[in-house]
Amino acid sequence: MLPHGTTVLALRYRDGVVIAGDRMATEGYSVSERRIEKVHNSDKYSAIAIAGAAGPALELTRLFRIELEHYEKLEGAELSLEGKANKLSQMIKGNLPMAMQGLVVIPIFAGYDIRRNVGRIFKYDIAGGQYEEIEYYAIGSGGRDARGTLKKIYSKDADQDGAIRAALEALYDASEADIATGGPDLIRGIFPTVKAISAQGISDISDAEIKQLLQEMIQRQGGG
Amino acid sequence: MAMPYYVSPEQVMQDKAEYARKGISRGRSIVAMEYDQGILLVADNPSSLSKISEIYDKIAFAGAGKYSEFENLRKAGIRHADMKGYLYSREDVTAKSLANSYSQSLGTIFSQEMKPLEVEILVVEVGRESAGNEMYRISFDGSIFDEKGFTAIGGKSEALILHLKNQYRRASLKDALQLSVEAIESAYNQTTSPAGLEVATLDRGRPGRMFRRLGAKELTELLQKE
């Protein structure tokens, strides 16, 4: 049995897009990794969040990142966000034979489109099919639960803080309903990965900030 | 049947070298200089076809001479670096190995092809401390020089090096840039404007990819004399 990554999500807000993921990887009913990183910067203005077989997913992320950097250096210019999304689609399509054997890798790609001045979210299927989401999306075993939460609380006019809160709440709900999704681990100090991408580029939201927001959320909900 | 002419190998090599030198001397020069926070590259280049480029996290490239030829070398260098970084790890990509492979290919082309490449290139790597900086100058025939402090390539490289020899000391980015521009102006006996310069740095203070191009606005500020 192979390690699998679980819930990742992205949502648009006023100034860009927030992308987040829990930290757990599972092998069937066991935890194989408590602090895996499922959200990775692909360049200055985009990030990729992965769900599925951990090994091939991390490999795909690494290669994607190098492909973008390689293009940028050769051409002296960055690819458009659309170009990056299409490149990723081709790479997932290339993984189809592996996917048929069970090594499914499905990412969410999110970034800030500096030509259109807007945050954008792309989702994929195992055949490389690419679809743009204009509000939010979540995948992985807890993806459906996270989408349920986002459906209720999503607001396209939210500011960055509001979007981060919504992401954390969705991940929290997914961890309560889905056994493969890791919740915030206050004992070990493991918190979800959250990144915000805007015209200023990517910013990693610090653990301290996430902890603070989570505590406020848990208090509001009346305990865990 | 016509007899083939005999030409001595010495003569062939000499002719090729002369040909390459002539080609390079037509191109404009580039100065590389260590400053307190990294390495500065300055090219007298008003066109948008660049002579200076990022290769990898800590490595930059500059080419003088025939554009199409050093452009090919630049792309090969990026491919070499990205491939190596992917196969092994990012820290295993070094300027030394890249310079060696450039030297190999230039040497092979010089001795085996009819026409040598009319290029001179620079491969520089910024170290964690100034002592770790590396600057390699590679000639059209593959000969490789390990430089310290400053160096120059292209048509007026000798004049530039002569000018810098007396004036160089490790200083701030502002001073290094002003000195480089002065050297270029005196070698070419002309004034330059920020729009006519291509300037980039490898700044050890930056996280990850340390290569950075300086825009016209920033250049104007840095070139302002007190």
Side-chain angles (χ1 to χ4, degrees), chain B residues 125-195:
Chain B
E125 175 176 331
V126 65
R128 224 168 285 173
E129 292 120 30
S130 287
N133 289 348
E134 287 172 34
M135 302 203 292
Y136 299 101
R137 178 164 62 86
I138 303 143
S139 283
F140 57 85
D141 59 355
S143 47
I144 178 168
F145 306 89
D146 184 357
E147 309 276 12
K148 280 276 164 275
F150 62 87
T151 187
I153 54 170
K156 300 263 185 185
S157 58
E158 279 166 36
L160 284 164
I161 289 172
L162 206 67
H163 183 101
L164 292 170
K165 205 169 242 167
N166 304 317
Q167 314 249 347
Y168 175 77
R169 65 196 160 78
R170 186 166 294 140
S172 66
L173 176 60
K174 189 181 170 92
D175 291 344
L177 180 66
Q178 292 192 354
L179 179 56
S180 307
V181 172
E182 258 169 48
I184 288 171
E185 284 181 343
S186 96
Y188 282 93
N189 206 6
Q190 63 171 43
T191 56
T192 57
S193 73

Side-chain angles (χ1 to χ4, degrees), chain A:
Chain A
M1 201 158 273
L2 282 162
H4 273 69
T6 45
T7 313
V8 292
L9 60 86
L11 64 149
R12 274 170 71 174
Y13 69 100
R14 213 169 50 195
D15 308 315
V17 57
V18 160
I19 184 163
D22 74 308
R23 300 288 297 276
M24 194 143 90
T26 51
E27 291 178 37
Y29 289 107
S30 340
V31 172
S32 66
E33 178 65 74
R34 281 185 198 284
R35 43 181 97 231
I36 193 172
E37 277 293 349
K38 302 177 197 175
V39 187
H40 299 263
N41 297 5
S42 41
D43 63 8
K44 246 182 336 194
Y45 289 105
S46 68
I48 175 170
I50 47 167
L58 291 172
E59 171 65 13
L60 182 96
T61 309
R62 199 159 84 95
L63 192 54
F64 179 58
R65 196 175 160 165
I66 288 166
E67 291 274 7
L68 298 189
E69 186 188 320
H70 190 66
Y71 181 95
E72 186 191 328
K73 288 190 290 196
L74 283 188
E75 304 291 326
E78 256 185 65
L79 270 170
S80 64
L81 194 68
E82 194 90 29
K84 294 174 201 171
N86 287 334
K87 174 73 209 173
L88 184 56
S89 159
Q90 287 158 22
M91 292 174 67
I92 296 164
K93 192 172 158 193
N95 190 56
L96 187 59
M98 296 257 280
M100 299 308 271
Q101 293 180 49
L103 299 176
V104 175
V105 176
I106 312 175
I108 297 177
F109 178 62
Y112 190 81
D113 192 328
I114 37 176
R115 300 182 197 187
R116 296 194 198 173
N117 290 318
V118 64
R120 298 174 73 185
I121 298 167
F122 298 90
K123 62 176 181 180
Y124 297 87
D125 62 30
I126 59 162
Q130 180 197 117
Y131 317 91
E132 184 166 1
E133 279 290 347
I134 54 165
E135 294 182 322
Y136 58 85
Y137 193 64
I139 46 164
S141 59
R144 217 171 69 165
D145 305 300
R147 286 202 298 275
T149 301
L150 287 172
K151 185 175 187 175
K152 294 291 179 205
I153 61 174
Y154 176 77
S155 155
K156 68 178 188 334
D157 300 319
D159 60 4
Q160 185 172 306
D161 247 27
I164 294 169
R165 280 203 180 95
L168 289 174
E169 193 144 342
L171 284 175
Y172 190 75
D173 288 354
S175 74
E176 287 205 323
D178 172 45
I179 51 165
T181 301
D185 188 335
L186 292 157
I187 295 163
R188 295 183 183 83
I190 306 171
F191 298 101
T193 313
V194 185
K195 293 173 193 286
I197 316 172
S198 66
Q200 282 78 49
I202 296 193
S203 54
D204 289 344
I205 311 304
S206 72
D207 277 357
E209 199 173 328
I210 291 171
K211 190 175 174 185
Q212 173 72 30
L213 290 170
L214 276 169
Q215 273 163 347
E216 283 170 25
M217 185 191 84
I218 291 166
Q219 240 162 35
R220 200 177 56 245
Q221 290 188 348

Side-chain angles (χ1 to χ4, degrees), chain B residues 103-114:
Chain B
S103 158
Q104 286 290 326
S105 11
L106 281 165
T108 309
I109 291 169
F110 182 75
S111 57
Q112 293 181 2
E113 302 286 318
M114 262 283 280

